[in-house]
Each structure stands twice: as C-alpha cells, then as structure tokens.
Amino acid sequence: SSLLLMSGVVVTVGLCRRLARSRLRSRPRLFAFLVEMFSTFQICACTNELSLLGNVEPKPHTALTLTYGFTVLHGLTLAGSTCNPCGTLQPMWGGGTSLRMGGLKIAAQFVAAVLARVFMHFIWSLEMAEPHFGALSQGCSSPLQTTEMQAFCIELLFSVVFQLAVLRTESVNPKYRVHLIALLITMLVYAGGNLTGAIFNPALAFSLHADCFYDKFLSYSLVYWIAPCLGKFLILYVF
C-alpha cells in the first residue's frame, strides 16, 4: 500500500508538471512556482511515507533500499527542480537567478512542504496500511538523538559533502549522475540517520518534523535550517 501510494504521488506530480509546462510557458514566474511546488511536494510526501517504513524488517536494509530507489526516481522525474532551499541559493549567489525568482522558488518549496504534510496526515488518518496505524498520535517524534552542537555539525558536514558531490558530478551523464547522488544520500542516511535523520534540506525537515519546530523552534532551525545553508555557503565560497 505504501509503495502504491508513493508511486501514485510520483505519477500525479509528473502529470501536473507536464500540464504546467504545456499551459504556463508564457507566464514564467507562475510556471517556476508551480513546477518547484509540485516537485518539492513529491519529495516531501514520499519521504514522509518512507519515514514510517524505517522499522520494516529486515532493518535497516528495507529502508535504505527504498531510500536509494526513490532518490533515483526523484532524480529521473524531477529534472530541472532543486526542491531544496539550499540548492536555490547557488544560482542566486552566482547571479544566474534573480532575487525575486529565487525567493519565489523557496516560497514554493515551503508551501509544498506544508501541503505534503497536510496531505500525508489525511492519508494516514484513513489507516489504509499497517504503518499508518498510530502515525498521527506520535506528535514530535524527535529525530535528534544527540546534542544540539553535534547535530549541528553533522547536518553541516552532510550538507557540505552533498553540495560538493552535486558540483563535482555536474559533468557526469545525467543517467549515471542520479545513481551517484542516490548512493551518496543513502550512505549519509545510513551514517547519520539514527542521530539527526540526515535531512540537510530545510523544506523537507519542516515537512517531516513541523511539530518539533513548533516546540523547539530555535534548536531545530539551528540544526535543520542554518546548518545546511551554512554548508552551502561554505561550498560556494570555496569554489
């Protein structure tokens, strides 16, 4: 049921992106906003569902396999979208994207994060699959299993490694590049998922753990918003 749900989200988003591409080319700002929103919605919705499958046996092989598989799928179906506020900062920093367009895309990413969370909570309330039972009663299921300073350093390091890999693989054939990036993300999730969740995406972090941001906004914004953005700026400064 979970796999069918995530596959349905991917297909629906693909149709919405194609419709926007065919109907809104003459309105670039609206087109950019909607495409970025649809794409980020796909990643946030699927990752919300994947977060419930972490305890499926055999652990952690099932969760890591699904993480790798859906990361490849996202890479193949969401070409041209960053789906990450940190990734949107790069063209803004280099002057390739205006401040207004960059802000529009970041707004679209956070709108999609909220919509994905609302959508998945509605789906979970229907309890169509066993992992959905009791999912809404967890509240803030904190991913932080270490100190704030260690979590900050982990998310900062992971962001630097991820952004560096993205830059270094720009010249690689796209059909191979998605597998390299997916393998790296899976390795990072395996290395630090039990400590911080290994998210390094501010919009995705908010979609996954909005309740925790409400409870401990300063701590979670430091770890899941400031650390990834700082990692991105470090890479941009070095390069």
Side-chain angles (χ1 to χ4, degrees), residues 3-236:
L3 292 178
L4 286 175
L5 172 62
M6 290 186 286
S7 300
V9 169
V10 172
V11 171
T12 303
V13 167
L15 293 175
C16 291
R17 279 167 55 93
R18 179 172 298 183
L19 182 62
R21 187 173 293 109
S22 63
R23 298 291 181 87
L24 297 174
R25 280 296 189 181
S26 60
R27 305 178 66 181
R29 289 180 182 173
L30 180 59
F31 170 74
F33 180 89
L34 290 178
V35 168
E36 194 66 33
M37 186 183 73
F38 292 144
S39 302
T40 308
F41 177 89
Q42 175 177 314
I43 288 181
C44 290
C46 290
T47 307
N48 267 279
E49 185 67 17
L50 283 173
S51 67
L52 297 182
L53 304 179
N55 294 322
V56 174
E57 296 292 346
K59 297 188 294 186
H61 306 83
T62 301
L64 293 174
T65 300
L66 290 173
T67 298
Y68 174 82
F70 274 90
T71 303
V72 171
L73 186 60
H74 295 325
L76 293 174
T77 59
L78 302 179
S81 299
T82 59
C83 308
N84 187 337
C86 299
T88 307
L89 294 175
Q90 180 179 347
M92 293 173 63
W93 179 278
T97 299
S98 66
L99 183 62
R100 178 175 295 181
M101 181 62 76
L104 192 68
K105 289 185 176 182
I106 292 175
Q109 291 157 2
F110 277 97
V111 168
V114 174
L115 291 177
R117 183 173 179 81
V118 172
F119 171 75
M120 293 308 300
H121 276 212
F122 169 73
I123 295 297
W124 294 345
S125 68
L126 301 179
E127 297 186 340
M128 296 185 298
E130 183 177 349
H132 298 173
F133 299 154
L136 296 180
S137 62
Q138 295 178 0
C140 172
S141 54
S142 176
L144 291 181
Q145 301 300 317
T146 183
T147 64
E148 289 182 14
M149 183 54 64
Q150 288 179 335
F152 177 87
C153 293
I154 290 171
E155 287 293 310
L156 174 64
L157 174 62
F158 284 3
S159 178
V160 168
V161 171
F162 174 72
Q163 301 297 341
L164 181 61
V166 170
L167 289 175
R168 299 297 292 179
T169 58
E170 284 183 343
S171 59
V172 178
N173 188 313
K175 66 180 180 181
Y176 301 124
R177 184 170 182 260
V178 293
H179 289 278
L180 293 175
I181 297 299
L183 180 60
L184 173 64
I185 290 176
T186 304
M187 292 172 61
L188 293 178
V189 169
Y190 178 72
N194 62 322
L195 297 175
T196 66
I199 302 173
F200 47 91
N201 181 334
L204 178 60
F206 186 70
S207 183
L208 291 173
H209 305 293
D211 292 336
C212 299
F213 278 92
Y214 300 150
D215 294 343
K216 300 179 180 179
F217 178 79
L218 292 179
S219 298
Y220 278 77
S221 60
L222 177 68
V223 173
Y224 294 109
W225 288 355
I226 297 176
C229 292
L230 180 59
K232 182 64 176 181
F233 279 119
L234 288 174
I235 291 297
L236 292 177

